[in-house]
């Protein structure tokens, strides 16, 4: 049994989702084009380029004189030489306002975030001085604000505490923190230099939403120690241990003065945030509110000497700029491997957050950022930071949002912020001595609340239930076990989803849209009608070794189910099986073997296998493997409509 068409040479254009466009009935049809025999070297180079150099980063260097190429190379590594040429006073005015605004936000946040990492508050300020300066020279984002962030601080603190107790071995803990920061930077820079940035995309958006939400709740719960004035607090981060520690100390461990301070200023911070959301022109209100809270609460504690009544304060904060820490980084010994492990994990999380923030604001202002250059900039920034007493810094969403709203134009806003932090380190740190820990807890709680994105979680649930499982897995893993376990669950579920989609691709039965020659999924278009004696199936994925057996078995199961329906309805038996190959972008030897097995199975049942619109890679491999000869070249068609017309010419004439 053979279905034949009259092939005529001509150009072949790929069909869309179903593979067909309405055509006039004609005895002369285009045959499926066979590409030239592939050159292995050219194929390899094309694949290599699309994997690592899809953006063609060297295109600007073509046909340029040596001097121009040198300048372009310099601008590529240091974008400041590019945008600096057109910098003017108008841009500086916007950057100055933005820089001062984010500085007022970052100073109190940095002190609190350092405590999250179990470090002295000064290291939070150090990390908002040197890293932003490095990023301003090397980063390509105009809007991102650099410094410590809550999630990375908590993650770093949790991982470090698992290796070294910061209370009994503070020196080793600090050295391990610098070591982890160094290798976080090395990891980020290496990913960018070797153009492996696509690896961070394996952490799905849903998993990130769940992880961030769980981390935000964990961070907020950790702040109950300072918010309630509890002196003895659990070292664990899971919700059960934290709540047990909170309520077990309720009778004797809570300090009412501390609670009043924390609750009052948290209310003030939330109110200021509400005002800023309601009126975009008042964006500066929530930005300066944390600093105002610190100033007022510090003054209040100082004049009332509330610290004598049990209100815990920051106490001494060293004055002066970052000392060198290069000699404190572990390059050998037992702590080296631990530092590498912690650095890689924290560096990847920091990288994911920073690149996501950079892309978000770049899209808002309609400009492009180079993800790989961003990774190199962030990596160099953290390597330099690790040598100057900083811990892992990255892009802060809250500060970047304020930076954007304040009207920043370039990365100069980061330089302005660094200068303000420098002045604070040189002259103002003694003023933070009486700052109550409760106000720092309130500032952190206020900062992490937006990370619990309920709307995003609801949308994920509506759109993709498997994505929602990944989201909730990461969320509950963080709050009920630990931050690192939540991260592991997020990555594991993301990989599991990829494997599931690769190994279990979707297939669909096609039907004819009435009064057209278009064939579509009958579940999506209920009005589409089946063709008597013909079963049309579309495979919506490349066919590889990982899914070839499943695809073959699923097609055979479709065929068996349809044969049972046909028999029950006393309709003509199925004589033709048409596989729509438009979505099949590639096929390997396992996939070809699966088609061969399917063809042989159908031959025994007197059913003809027909392929419709295989792409260039697929048809090329089918010819090289001689499967096209086995099947018969006259059983490979450009469209499903062509195949149906050859199988059932009378029916096609009626369409």
């Amino acid at each position: 049994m053979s279905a034949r068409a009259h092939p005529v040479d001509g150009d072949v254009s790929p069909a869309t989702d179903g593979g067909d466009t309405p055509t006039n009935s004609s005895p002369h049809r285009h045959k499926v084009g066979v590409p030239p025999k592939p050159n292995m070297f050219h194929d390899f180079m094309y694949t290599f380029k699309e994997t690592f150099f899809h953006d063609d980063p060297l295109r600007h260097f073509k046909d340029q004189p040596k001097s121009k190429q040198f300048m372009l190379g310099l601008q590529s590594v240091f974008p400041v030489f590019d945008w600096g040429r057109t910098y003017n006073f108008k841009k500086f005015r916007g950057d100055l306002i933005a820089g001062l605004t984010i500085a007022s936000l970052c100073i109190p946040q940095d002190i609190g975030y350092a405590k999250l990492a179990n470090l002295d508050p000064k290291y939070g300020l150090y990390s908002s001085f040197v890293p932003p300066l490095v990023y301003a020279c090397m980063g390509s984002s105009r809007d991102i604000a650099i410094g410590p962030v809550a999630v990375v601080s908590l993650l770093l603190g949790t991982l470090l505490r698992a290796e070294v107790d910061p209370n009994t071995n503070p020196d080793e803990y600090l050295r391990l923190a610098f070591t982890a920061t160094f290798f976080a930077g090395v990891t980020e820079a290496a990913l960018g230099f070797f153009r492996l940035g696509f690896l961070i995309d394996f952490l799905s958006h849903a998993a990130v939403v769940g992880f961030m939400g769980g981390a935000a709740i964990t961070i907020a719960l950790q702040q109950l120690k300072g918010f309630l004035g509890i002196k003895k607090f659990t070292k664990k981060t899971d919700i059960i241990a934290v709540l047990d520690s909170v309520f077990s100390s309720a009778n004797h461990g809570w300090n009412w003065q501390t609670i009043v301070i924390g609750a009052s200023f948290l209310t003030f911070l939330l109110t200021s945030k509400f005002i800023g959301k309601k009126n975009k022109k008042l964006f500066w209100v929530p930005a300066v509110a944390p600093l105002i809270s610190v100033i007022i609460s510090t003054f209040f504690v100082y004049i009332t000497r509330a610290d004598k009544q049990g209100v815990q304060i920051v106490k001494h904060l060293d004055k002066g700029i970052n000392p060198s820490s290069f000699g404190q980084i572990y390059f050998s010994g037992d702590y080296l491997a631990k530092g590498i492990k912690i650095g890689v994990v924290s560096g990847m999380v920091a990288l994911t957050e920073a690149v996501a923030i950079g892309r978000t604001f770049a899209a808002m202002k309609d400009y492009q950022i180079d993800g790989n250059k961003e990774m190199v900039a962030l990596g160099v920034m953290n390597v330099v930071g690790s040598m100057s007493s900083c811990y892992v810094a990255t892009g802060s969403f809250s500060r970047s949002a304020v930076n954007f709203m304040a009207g920043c134009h370039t990365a100069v806003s980061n330089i302005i912020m660094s200068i303000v932090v420098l002045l604070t380190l040189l002259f103002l740190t003694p003023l933070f001595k009486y700052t109550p820990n409760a106000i720092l807890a309130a500032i952190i709680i206020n900062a992490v609340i937006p990370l619990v994105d309920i709307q995003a979680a609801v949308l994920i649930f509506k759109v993709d239930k498997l994505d929602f499982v990944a989201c909730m897995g990461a969320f509950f893993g963080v709050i009920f076990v630990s931050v690192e376990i939540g991260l592991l669950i997020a990555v594991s579920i993301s990989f599991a989803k990829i494997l599931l989609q690769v190994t279990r691709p979707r297939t669909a039965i096609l039907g004819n849209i009435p009064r057209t020659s278009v064939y579509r999924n009958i579940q999506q278009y209920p009005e589409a009608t089946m063709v008597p004696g013909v079963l049309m199936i579309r495979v919506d994925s490349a066919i590889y070794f990982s899914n070839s057996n499943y695809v073959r078995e699923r097609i055979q199961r479709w065929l068996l189910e349809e044969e049972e329906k046909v028999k029950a309805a006393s309709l003509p038996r199925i004589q033709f099986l048409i596989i729509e190959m438009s979505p099949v972008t590639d096929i390997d030897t396992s996939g070809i073997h699966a088609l061969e097995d399917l063809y042989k199975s159908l031959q025994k049942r007197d059913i003809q296998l027909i392929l419709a619109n295989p792409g260039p890679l697929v048809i090329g491999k089918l010819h090289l493997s001689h499967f096209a000869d086995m099947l018969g070249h006259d059983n490979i068609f450009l469209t499903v409509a062509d195949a149906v017309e050859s199988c059932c010419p009378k029916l096609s004439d009626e369409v």
Side-chain angles (χ1 to χ4, degrees):
M1 182 181 307
S2 175
R4 300 182 179 276
H6 300 281
V8 176
D9 290 337
D11 295 331
V12 177
S13 58
T16 59
D17 177 40
D20 310 306
T21 53
T23 57
N24 296 322
S25 296
S26 169
H28 300 286
R29 299 193 178 276
H30 294 291
K31 68 177 182 179
V32 175
V34 181
K37 188 175 181 180
N39 181 294
M40 187 174 69
F41 177 75
H42 288 165
D43 276 1
F44 173 79
M45 291 305 297
Y46 175 80
T47 303
F48 180 82
K49 180 181 176 182
E50 287 303 305
T51 303
F52 299 103
F53 301 95
H54 62 279
D55 54 345
D56 194 11
L58 300 179
R59 63 186 182 280
H60 301 299
F61 293 82
K62 294 176 182 177
D63 304 322
Q64 296 291 342
K66 295 292 183 182
S67 58
K68 181 67 173 178
Q69 288 181 349
F70 173 78
M71 195 61 195
L72 288 172
L74 199 62
Q75 291 172 359
S76 178
V77 178
F78 301 101
V80 64
F81 288 109
D82 183 19
W83 55 260
R85 294 181 304 165
T86 57
Y87 199 70
N88 53 43
F89 181 76
K90 181 180 178 181
K91 291 181 179 180
F92 175 73
R93 185 174 59 186
D95 288 336
L96 178 63
I97 295 171
L100 293 174
T101 306
I102 59 176
S104 67
L105 178 62
C106 87
I107 291 171
Q109 282 187 347
D110 291 344
I111 295 173
Y113 291 160
K115 285 182 171 292
L116 270 180
N118 305 308
L119 295 169
D120 192 276
K122 64 184 179 183
Y123 294 106
L125 295 174
Y126 290 163
S127 301
S128 277
F129 170 45
V130 174
L133 292 176
V134 177
Y135 182 84
C137 296
M138 299 187 67
S140 57
S141 173
R142 306 170 194 167
D143 303 281
I144 196 169
I146 296 296
V149 297
V151 173
V152 176
S153 298
L154 175 67
L155 177 63
L156 186 66
T158 303
L159 295 174
L160 290 172
R161 185 189 281 275
E163 303 295 343
V164 182
D165 190 323
N167 298 317
T168 57
N169 298 297
D171 293 337
E172 285 83 356
Y173 185 90
L174 183 61
R175 291 188 64 184
L176 188 59
F178 294 149
T179 305
T181 301
F182 177 83
F183 286 106
V186 170
T187 300
E188 293 169 338
L191 288 174
F193 182 79
F194 293 108
R195 305 188 69 82
L196 298 173
F198 59 86
L199 292 177
I200 65 172
D201 293 331
F202 282 101
L203 195 60
S204 69
H205 170 70
V208 170
V209 169
F211 174 75
M212 290 294 186
I217 291 176
T218 300
I219 291 167
L221 290 172
Q222 290 287 307
Q223 300 315 302
L224 292 178
K225 176 185 178 182
F227 195 84
L228 302 175
I230 301 172
K231 293 183 179 179
K232 292 184 178 180
F233 200 71
T234 180
K235 295 179 180 180
K236 297 179 180 179
T237 60
D238 63 281
I239 188 171
I240 296 174
V242 171
L243 291 180
D244 178 64
S245 181
V246 168
F247 290 113
S248 63
S249 60
N251 294 328
H252 57 276
W254 294 12
N255 181 274
W256 70 267
Q257 294 99 326
T258 301
I259 295 173
V260 169
I261 294 172
S264 300
F265 284 100
L266 179 59
T267 302
F268 169 68
L269 291 169
L270 293 174
T271 303
S272 66
K273 182 176 287 186
F274 177 78
I275 292 171
K277 283 185 177 180
K278 282 293 182 182
N279 189 341
K280 297 298 184 183
K281 292 182 179 179
L282 298 177
F283 68 89
W284 54 270
V285 173
V288 301
L291 187 59
I292 293 173
S293 300
V294 168
I295 293 171
I296 296 174
S297 62
T298 302
F299 179 71
F300 173 78
V301 171
Y302 176 72
I303 62 172
T304 62
R305 295 316 304 263
D307 56 308
K308 302 293 185 183
Q309 306 299 319
V311 174
Q312 298 177 37
I313 57 176
V314 172
K315 297 181 180 178
H316 179 68
L317 193 59
D318 290 341
K319 190 161 59 167
I321 61 173
N322 308 30
S324 172
S325 57
F326 178 77
Q328 298 187 58
I329 299 174
Y330 289 110
F331 290 108
S332 61
D334 295 337
Y335 286 121
L336 175 61
K338 296 175 181 178
I340 293 173
K341 181 187 71 174
I342 297 171
V344 169
V345 174
S346 56
M348 291 291 284
V349 174
L351 200 58
T352 302
E353 188 170 357
V355 172
I357 292 169
R359 286 173 177 169
T360 298
F361 290 105
M364 289 182 180
K365 285 190 176 179
D366 194 26
Y367 68 92
Q368 297 289 327
I369 65 169
D370 187 323
N372 289 297
K373 288 181 183 177
E374 283 293 286
M375 293 175 193
V376 172
L378 292 165
V380 173
M381 171 188 83
N382 278 312
V383 168
V384 174
S386 70
M387 300 176 185
S388 52
S389 299
C390 303
Y391 74 95
V392 181
T394 187
S396 165
F397 187 82
S398 59
R399 273 176 265 175
S400 299
V402 171
N403 199 29
F404 175 82
M405 295 295 294
C408 70
H409 293 282
T410 67
V412 169
S413 59
N414 276 289
I415 298 176
I416 301 297
M417 179 188 71
S418 294
I419 293 172
V420 174
V421 172
L422 171 63
L423 296 175
T424 302
L425 286 167
L426 290 175
F427 305 110
L428 303 179
T429 48
L431 300 179
F432 292 101
K433 178 179 179 179
Y434 291 98
T435 300
N437 288 341
I439 192 64
L440 300 178
I443 289 171
I444 292 176
I445 292 172
N446 176 64
V448 299
I449 286 175
L451 295 179
V452 184
D453 197 340
I454 297 175
Q455 288 184 334
V458 171
L459 181 62
I460 290 168
F461 176 77
K462 291 179 180 178
V463 173
D464 192 321
K465 300 300 185 290
L466 191 58
D467 259 358
F468 185 72
V469 171
C471 180
M472 289 298 100
F475 177 79
F476 289 119
V478 171
I479 65 172
F480 282 108
V481 187
S482 65
V483 177
E484 60 266 35
I485 293 299
L487 182 62
L488 179 62
I489 291 173
V491 174
S492 299
I493 295 179
S494 296
F495 270 103
K497 184 182 178 184
I498 294 171
L499 290 174
L500 186 62
Q501 291 175 336
V502 169
T503 58
R504 294 295 182 267
R506 294 184 180 275
T507 56
I509 293 181
L510 306 182
N512 175 245
I513 303 295
R515 294 177 298 281
T516 73
S517 59
V518 175
Y519 293 81
R520 293 291 185 265
N521 188 340
I522 60 173
Q523 291 184 339
Q524 184 179 1
Y525 298 93
E527 71 274 15
T529 58
M530 304 282 289
V531 178
V534 180
L535 177 61
M536 295 161 287
I537 296 176
R538 188 183 68 217
V539 179
D540 291 334
S541 167
I543 305 177
Y544 292 129
F545 66 94
S546 58
N547 62 22
S548 57
N549 284 328
Y550 170 79
V551 169
R552 175 178 55 79
E553 291 169 1
R554 188 68 186 92
I555 291 173
Q556 289 176 323
R557 194 160 73 250
W558 278 124
L559 180 60
L560 182 62
E561 291 171 359
E562 290 303 314
E563 283 182 327
E564 290 174 353
K565 292 178 183 179
V566 164
K567 187 176 181 181
S570 300
L571 295 173
R573 75 176 186 88
I574 295 176
Q575 303 177 59
F576 300 94
L577 174 63
I578 300 174
I579 300 180
E580 156 65 311
M581 303 282 283
S582 296
V584 181
T585 55
D586 200 357
I587 191 170
D588 65 2
T589 52
S590 297
I592 294 172
H593 281 303
L595 289 180
E596 289 175 353
D597 291 342
L598 178 63
Y599 171 76
K600 293 174 183 176
S601 173
L602 294 176
Q603 286 292 93
K604 294 175 182 177
R605 298 161 65 179
D606 200 23
I607 299 175
Q608 178 63 53
L609 176 64
I610 296 175
L611 304 182
N613 195 32
L617 276 176
V618 175
I619 191 64
K621 291 181 180 181
L622 294 182
H623 275 269
L624 289 173
S625 65
H626 302 293
F627 176 73
D629 299 328
M630 177 191 295
L631 178 65
H633 295 277
D634 51 0
N635 288 319
I636 303 176
F637 293 85
L638 180 60
T639 67
V640 174
D642 287 355
V644 171
E645 183 178 1
S646 294
C647 299
C648 313
K650 292 183 179 179
L651 178 70
S652 297
D653 291 338
E654 295 172 3
V655 174

